[in-house]
């Protein structure tokens, strides 16, 4: 007796709406736990819903769902915002967070989200899709390498936050 092959999922990508705030927050919390910062999330459903409802939202979010044998569920997200390059004089996208549920990895969800973001860059007349990845997240690095992305080792990310940001703002 042979075991039937599992159905290959159909992947659907759509833009998140304010009604998706609970789902987006769940993915953000899952990502924070994966990145070893489970208590760092200050974002709330209320703030996400408000931001997604804004006339000029501060971010956009794509949601990925899989459909297997007629059953659909949300399995990932790509949260991003537009950028602009002084050197190229063109727009781009900064991918803030990419998350795929652990049990949906290897199905092509990350690739589908990244392909949709690349399409968004081109639809906007843009030149760049950029993001950062934790140096220990080899699984993600492997995915990005497979997509043809290249690390930008000559650039060092910096962040100003908390009291240092307050001190600088105060002059």
């Amino acid at each position: 007796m042979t075991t039937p092959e599992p159905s290959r999922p159909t992947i659907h990508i759509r833009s998140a709406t304010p009604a998706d705030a609970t789902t987006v927050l769940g993915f953000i919390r899952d990502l924070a736990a994966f990145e070893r910062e489970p208590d760092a999330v200050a974002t709330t459903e209320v703030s996400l819903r408000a931001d997604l409802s804004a006339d000029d939202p501060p971010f956009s979010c794509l949601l990925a769902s899989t459909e297997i044998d007629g059953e659909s569920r949300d399995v990932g997200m790509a949260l991003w915002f537009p950028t602009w390059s002084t050197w190229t004089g063109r727009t781009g996208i900064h991918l803030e967070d990419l998350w795929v549920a652990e049990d949906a990895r290897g199905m092509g969800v990350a690739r589908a989200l990244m392909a949709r973001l690349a399409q968004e860059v081109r639809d906007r007349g843009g030149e760049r899709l950029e993001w950062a990845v934790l140096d220990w997240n080899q699984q993600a690095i492997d995915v990005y390498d497979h997509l043809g992305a290249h690390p930008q080792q000559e650039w060092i990310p910096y962040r100003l936050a908390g009291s240092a940001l307050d001190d600088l703002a105060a002059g």
Side-chain angles (χ1 to χ4, degrees), residues 49-135:
R49 192 171 290 109
D51 286 341
L52 286 165
S53 298
D55 289 337
D56 187 18
F59 67 89
S60 294
C61 185
L62 296 173
L63 291 177
S65 61
T66 55
E67 186 177 323
I68 302 175
D69 299 328
E71 216 171 295
S72 180
R73 72 181 183 103
D74 292 322
V75 296
M77 72 163 187
L79 195 144
W80 61 275
F81 52 86
T83 61
W84 189 79
S85 168
T86 55
W87 287 19
T88 67
R90 312 269 301 272
T91 61
I93 283 178
H94 175 81
L95 173 60
E96 180 67 15
D97 289 319
L98 177 71
W99 177 252
V100 176
E102 190 170 345
D103 65 346
R105 294 179 188 159
M107 295 182 185
V109 175
R111 180 174 182 64
L113 285 164
M114 294 297 285
R116 181 68 170 274
L117 285 173
Q119 180 183 19
E120 183 71 28
V121 170
R122 289 304 191 200
D123 287 351
R124 292 166 169 258
E127 287 291 318
R128 296 178 178 168
L129 174 55
E130 299 175 303
W131 62 93
V133 61
L134 290 167
D135 60 2

Side-chain angles (χ1 to χ4, degrees), residues 8-74:
R8 185 81 176 143
T10 301
I11 301 168
H12 300 282
I13 308 292
R14 65 181 176 82
S15 293
T17 68
D20 295 309
T22 302
T23 299
V24 172
L25 182 58
F27 287 146
I28 290 169
R29 287 180 175 152
D30 290 346
L31 175 61
F34 175 80
E35 291 184 351
R36 306 170 187 160
E37 294 282 345
D39 299 322
V41 178
T43 303
T44 67
E45 266 184 62
V46 171
S47 66
L48 285 169
R49 192 171 290 109
D51 286 341
L52 286 165
S53 298
D55 289 337
D56 187 18
F59 67 89
S60 294
C61 185
L62 296 173
L63 291 177
S65 61
T66 55
E67 186 177 323
I68 302 175
D69 299 328
E71 216 171 295
S72 180
R73 72 181 183 103
D74 292 322

